[in-house]
Amino acid sequence: MKKNKNPHEADLRGTLISVLVVGVLIAVMWAAVYAMYVAL
Amino acid sequence: MHLHKFEKIWLIFGIAMLAVFLGIVGVQAFTQGQTPAGGMEKIDPEKVDVTAPFDDPGVHQIDEDTYEVVIKAMAYGYEPSEIKVPAGKEIIFKVTSKDVIHSFTIPNTKVNMMVVPGQVNEKRYTFKEPGTFLILCNEYCGTGHHFMHTEIEVVEE
Amino acid sequence: MIIHSERGPLAGRRTSSAVAGVTAASERKLALWNIGFAYTAFLIGTFCGLLQVFMRNEMIQLPAWLDYYQVLTVHGVTLALVYTTFFIYAFLITGMSKALGSFGPKVARWSWIGFFVAAAGTVWATIEILSGRASVLYTFYAPLKASGWFYVSLALLIIGTWIISFALIAHYVKWRKANPGIMSPLFAFMTISTLAMWIIACLGVVAAVVFMYIPWAFGWVDTINVELSRTLFWFFGHPLVYFWLLPAYMAWYLVVPKLLGTKVFSDSLARLSFLLFILFSIPVGLHHQLTEPGVADFWKFLQVTLTFMVVIPTLMTAFSLFATFEISGRQKGAKGLFGWVSKLPWNDIRFTSLFIAMVFFIPGGAGGIINTSFQLNEMVHNTLWVVGHFHITVGTPVAMTFMGISFWLIPYLTGRTLTKTTKKLAFIQIISWSVGMLFMSTAQHVLGLLGAPRRTQHSNYSDHPTVLGWFDGFFSNTATLALGGIILFFSAMLLMVIVFRLWLIEPRSEKGDLYAEFPIAESDASATPRWLENWWIWIGIAVALILLAYTFPITHMIQDAPPGSKGFINW
Ligand code: HEM
Ligand SMILES: [Cu+2]
Ligand SMILES: [Cu+2]
């Protein structure tokens, strides 16, 4: 039972994974365009 | 101010990612001369035709491996209109404008330069393959803007 | 309508982030006028958008008195400058009245004056554009020269926004004096951050317009310093995009948790992120000038670095939003890693619209990081990629957030309700906008990488093979761009129907009607450090950063300037 009142102790595993997925997405997009640039 | 442990992880991850991006472009730009087009040389926009090097626009060989291409942009065209350069050699493009802002852009290359009156813009680029490349203006310059284009012929060394 | 007076010391003491009263009648009227003005601009602007996508495919021909670039100028001005600005003030005025209590007579008077000045400037600018005296696009780069009155009208628009801004600031200052030692409500804090940034940012464009463009356009001086005028424009131009974005962030931080039945994730981090925007959204304008001469690489790269810093508050925002989702889901009994996703109120159009807006901002933000990556900018600068980019930053995350706000703000202001029928229409509207934008912006991104220029009417460039690649394939096809544009226009017209219904047709709301409420979540400021609200510290650092980033390049442009340019009217 995780029912913490204080949001700082809240269970945020889903959040962490979500933002990391977003981060990876950004990195992939950036790397793709960078690779295209270098190939020119 | 309290940070959730996961938020710390995320911020460290995010900031590290940004630092890597910045590091990569910074190192590539400043150690390999891959900076975007630029230049600090200035010119009187009214006297472009009589100011060197724009009094003699066109392709000039500088040394064995380097060519200079001097271009004047104006509504709605480029001078000279015929440009022929070798592949595999470093080309230094030098452009300025006789009137408004234009661009000198060669799609499928790294050449994408703003052409600003009063300034000389410069970009070094080496074509890998021969072929006929399109040159176009991608900065709005008036009603004829979409007609402003020419070609550059890249020939075998 | 009874107006609850929430002014005075009591209001603040009860709770520092009080979800105070309701918005007073006179502020409601002012907000509605702003919204009406905004949606009139939206109607005109999206129609121009439709014309553009048709013309890029040679599907229509304009009458002789109108050309592509006039249409594009109107599109940029009406949507990017007018729709956004007036909607933002409607939102801020309503929220400030709700959060801090109703306006005093002076604040009320000056916000009306500001509205009329800004509106007059806008109408005047539109007339100048349509009569063919100002086909200079909304960035009005010199030495293309519009009529002097065009620049005067733009100055009026900005001055009008300053007047409203200072009226709102005065309202806030009065509240602070009446509530010493208390953190202001988060809505007010965010409003003041946004306005502080806006006022500083406008200094650049005002300096350019007043001291450079107007004397030049009226012929008092012969020439203009082109590079300086561009630099002052972009001093303003980048924070301009944050001026659009921050009110959307306000809705994400404050409205979303309320809709989810929870609180703001972290009051202090929310405030900190807005302060970071004041610091880092201004000294970065050179990232729009990376491929041009007249600025040394060092200064370009310094501002690129500062631009990367401005990503950080957005990273913080992303975390807060997901955390809000997860916490609310878990409060509702969600299990596992992603159980909270199914607990989100997907049937609530107020939420779903904002959620989709946030999703679009993920590729939007990623594209922004690419654009500012120094030499990578050469790949995309002034290509259709950029057009794709700002349609999935301002054109969707911001615009769709404003649509989502409209679904409850207009009922809140008119005292009507959102009926089932309109709610269905709203879902169709939001979904069609998403689909249309997916087609249009993806095509634009791809075409841009293939070198297709922005701000350019259809051209086959002497049938060069490069151009054939822009009409071939699925996403690499100008026709797909048009398909998206047509769907978007349908969606825009549907939105006009919805706005009309909410304004004039829907039944009166009853007590307790959710859609007739202004949803602001509670934010617990008890642990928020006081120094976060010491504006002088933050504005001081912002000014220091601006001086660091701009003093040298601008001094150089003035002292070492080439002979200026006379004006050109190339249309
Ligand atoms: C019906 C919906 C829309 C359509 C079909 C549409 C279409 C377009 C197209 C095709 C262009 C590029 C023209 C060119 O570069 O040649 C454009 C430019 C632009 N759009 Fe939209 N758009 C729509 C909605 C919006 C919205 C909602 C916003 C902002 C809130 C917006 C802001 C802009 C801006 C700022 C430009 C650049 C103008 C310029 O280059 O001067 N658009 N739009
Ligand atoms: Cu042009
Ligand atoms: Cu920017």
Side-chain angles (χ1 to χ4, degrees):
Chain A
M1 274 278 104
K2 283 173 197 103
K3 208 157 183 263
N4 281 314
K5 264 254 166 246
N6 184 349
H8 302 307
E9 265 74 70
D11 176 1
L12 294 179
R13 287 171 299 151
T15 299
L16 181 63
I17 294 176
S18 306
V19 285
L20 289 177
V21 168
V22 169
V24 170
L25 221 72
I26 295 173
V28 168
M29 267 183 74
W30 190 91
V33 177
Y34 181 75
M36 291 170 77
Y37 178 81
V38 174
L40 290 178
Chain B
M1 235 183 301
H2 180 86
L3 272 185
H4 191 285
K5 192 172 96 200
F6 288 172
E7 180 155 15
K8 278 182 206 151
I9 298 176
W10 162 238
L11 286 179
I12 291 169
F13 173 90
I15 293 170
M17 178 174 79
L18 293 174
V20 170
F21 294 167
L22 197 61
I24 291 174
V25 293
V27 168
Q28 193 199 20
F30 292 108
T31 65
Q32 301 172 23
Q34 292 272 16
T35 49
M40 302 306 284
E41 215 177 304
K42 48 188 188 167
I43 186 170
D44 185 340
E46 305 266 321
K47 303 205 176 86
V48 172
D49 289 333
V50 294
T51 310
F54 296 95
D55 53 352
D56 177 26
V59 182
H60 314 291
Q61 181 159 19
I62 293 186
D63 60 38
E64 185 72 6
D65 293 311
T66 324
Y67 290 75
E68 177 187 74
V69 179
V70 177
I71 308 273
K72 292 185 276 193
M74 67 224 70
Y76 303 100
Y78 301 95
E79 199 187 320
S81 52
E82 299 241 319
I83 313 168
K84 196 191 269 187
V85 296
K89 304 274 182 193
E90 185 174 60
I91 314 293
I92 306 172
F93 290 100
K94 283 193 174 176
V95 295
T96 194
S97 168
K98 289 168 69 172
D99 44 43
V100 299
I101 295 174
H102 301 277
S103 94
F104 180 87
T105 301
I106 312 178
N108 308 320
T109 71
K110 289 175 183 165
V111 182
N112 187 3
M113 316 164 70
M114 296 297 289
V115 188
V116 182
Q119 314 275 347
V120 179
N121 204 359
E122 204 180 296
K123 173 77 190 173
R124 289 157 186 265
Y125 183 69
T126 306
F127 289 91
K128 294 187 175 123
E129 303 287 337
T132 307
F133 288 77
L134 175 64
I135 297 173
L136 57 81
C137 172
N138 70 14
E139 181 59 271
Y140 169 67
C141 52
T143 32
H145 161 60
H146 48 289
F147 297 121
M148 185 161 167
H149 73 285
T150 181
E151 282 178 351
I152 178 168
E153 217 188 313
V154 181
V155 294
E156 212 69 69
E157 290 176 55
Chain C
M1 161 119 273
I2 302 157
I3 297 150
H4 307 276
S5 173
E6 290 284 347
R7 275 176 292 160
L10 259 180
R13 209 166 294 146
R14 203 173 309 145
T15 152
S16 65
S17 48
V19 184
V22 288
T23 308
S26 75
E27 281 98 276
R28 285 174 189 243
K29 194 166 160 197
L30 175 58
L32 275 172
W33 274 69
N34 274 280
I35 292 182
F37 205 85
Y39 276 109
T40 310
F42 186 82
L43 177 67
I44 301 170
T46 49
F47 181 66
C48 291
L50 183 71
L51 293 180
Q52 286 152 217
V53 299
F54 280 156
M55 290 178 74
R56 273 192 170 258
N57 283 276
E58 287 195 297
M59 284 149 79
I60 50 161
Q61 192 125 45
L62 288 184
W65 54 272
L66 195 64
D67 80 14
Y68 183 82
Y69 303 104
Q70 254 170 312
V71 173
L72 184 58
T73 308
V74 174
H75 180 78
V77 170
T78 50
L79 288 168
L81 299 179
V82 182
Y83 172 62
T84 48
T85 303
F86 284 82
F87 194 90
I88 287 166
Y89 281 106
F91 181 55
L92 299 184
I93 286 166
T94 316
M96 286 293 270
S97 170
K98 184 182 161 66
L100 301 185
S102 58
F103 293 178
K106 262 199 196 146
V107 171
R109 180 165 356 109
W110 281 104
S111 26
W112 274 104
I113 293 174
F115 167 74
F116 281 117
V117 172
T122 306
V123 172
W124 196 0
T126 312
I127 293 172
E128 294 294 319
I129 297 165
L130 288 178
S131 60
R133 289 193 290 267
S135 291
V136 290
L137 305 186
Y138 86 106
T139 43
F140 56 90
Y141 293 142
L144 285 172
K145 188 166 83 173
S147 77
W149 298 113
F150 174 73
Y151 304 110
V152 172
S153 64
L154 287 184
L156 277 185
L157 170 58
I158 304 251
I159 290 166
T161 68
W162 275 4
I163 296 175
I164 313 183
S165 301
F166 279 112
L168 289 172
I169 291 173
H171 188 51
Y172 164 83
V173 168
K174 196 170 165 202
W175 185 95
R176 285 292 296 278
K177 288 214 177 102
N179 298 273
I182 299 173
M183 287 306 261
S184 63
L186 191 50
F187 190 98
F189 182 92
M190 290 176 159
T191 299
I192 298 303
S193 315
T194 308
L195 297 179
M197 184 205 71
W198 175 245
I199 291 167
I200 301 174
C202 286
L203 292 172
V205 72
V206 167
V209 164
V210 172
F211 297 117
M212 301 177 74
Y213 284 94
I214 289 180
W216 171 68
F218 283 115
W220 306 332
V221 298
D222 293 332
T223 62
I224 191 165
N225 181 336
V226 174
E227 194 51 32
L228 180 64
S229 72
R230 287 172 69 73
T231 305
L232 291 174
F233 179 85
W234 283 113
F235 176 99
F236 156 82
H238 189 77
L240 171 66
V241 313
Y242 281 96
F243 177 65
W244 304 329
L245 194 61
L246 291 188
Y249 274 28
M250 288 171 70
W252 300 356
Y253 269 112
L254 283 163
V255 174
V256 167
K258 178 73 178 180
L259 300 177
L260 301 182
T262 177
K263 291 191 297 180
V264 174
F265 171 64
S266 164
D267 184 82
S268 48
L269 289 174
R271 290 179 204 250
L272 182 64
S273 75
F274 269 61
L275 293 171
L276 292 177
F277 282 119
I278 303 185
L279 300 192
F280 293 114
S281 61
I282 305 172
V284 297
L286 284 182
H287 70 217
H288 293 263
Q289 300 171 268
L290 292 175
T291 64
E292 69 195 51
V295 187
D297 284 329
F298 175 82
W299 298 104
K300 288 181 182 173
F301 197 75
L302 179 83
Q303 293 209 10
V304 163
T305 309
L306 290 168
T307 312
F308 272 79
M309 303 289 286
V310 85
V311 180
I312 295 169
T314 291
L315 299 179
M316 292 163 55
T317 303
F319 190 90
S320 294
L321 293 171
F322 277 110
T324 308
F325 299 156
E326 183 163 8
I327 289 171
S328 84
R330 290 193 187 280
Q331 280 166 354
K332 293 174 193 158
K335 297 261 147 46
L337 272 186
F338 291 107
W340 45 274
V341 176
S342 61
K343 299 283 181 190
L344 293 172
W346 299 111
N347 283 327
D348 186 341
I349 187 66
R350 299 171 300 171
F351 170 76
T352 308
S353 52
L354 266 54
F355 184 88
I356 297 175
M358 295 171 196
V359 171
F360 268 95
F361 200 57
I362 296 171
I369 298 176
I370 292 168
N371 299 345
T372 197
S373 292
F374 206 40
Q375 64 270 38
L376 296 202
N377 184 259
E378 292 186 315
M379 283 277 292
V380 297
H381 182 68
N382 275 350
T383 70
L384 274 179
W385 163 287
V386 174
V387 181
H389 166 69
F390 56 68
H391 283 92
I392 57 166
T393 44
V394 64
T396 303
V398 171
M400 194 180 283
T401 298
F402 292 175
M403 295 167 194
I405 292 174
S406 302
F407 298 149
W408 53 261
L409 184 61
I410 299 175
Y412 176 71
L413 295 170
T414 58
R416 294 181 190 274
T417 187
L418 184 89
T419 55
K420 271 217 167 94
T421 318
T422 314
K423 196 174 150 183
K424 270 197 198 118
L425 293 180
F427 267 105
I428 300 173
Q429 192 264 315
I430 289 300
I431 289 165
S432 54
W433 189 278
S434 314
V435 172
M437 197 52 92
L438 210 61
F439 281 122
M440 186 172 92
S441 73
T442 311
Q444 286 167 334
H445 276 93
V446 174
L447 289 166
L449 290 176
L450 297 174
R454 74 179 279 204
R455 296 183 147 178
T456 303
Q457 194 177 334
H458 174 83
S459 174
N460 58 12
Y461 293 118
S462 315
D463 287 324
H464 192 277
T466 302
V467 179
L468 299 180
W470 304 340
F471 295 89
D472 189 35
F474 186 71
F475 276 120
S476 57
N477 198 324
T478 315
T480 306
L481 192 164
L483 172 69
I486 294 166
I487 302 173
L488 280 168
F489 183 71
F490 161 79
S491 175
M493 291 309 104
L494 195 52
L495 180 63
M496 297 310 297
V497 172
I498 295 167
V499 168
F500 186 76
R501 289 175 66 97
L502 291 175
W503 202 309
L504 295 167
I505 296 181
E506 295 285 68
R508 296 271 156 201
S509 60
E510 285 163 17
K511 216 172 165 349
D513 185 336
L514 280 182
Y515 285 97
E517 278 303 311
F518 192 130
I520 300 186
E522 274 190 54
S523 189
D524 179 5
S526 57
T528 305
R530 290 277 163 273
W531 45 265
L532 282 181
E533 200 156 2
N534 188 338
W535 297 104
W536 299 118
I537 300 181
W538 301 101
I539 292 176
I541 302 176
V543 170
L545 284 169
I546 290 168
L547 290 177
L548 169 73
Y550 271 117
T551 308
F552 191 88
I554 287 187
T555 312
H556 172 83
M557 280 171 207
I558 295 171
Q559 288 188 341
D560 206 16
S565 284
K566 59 183 178 36
F568 292 86
I569 302 174
N570 289 350
W571 65 86

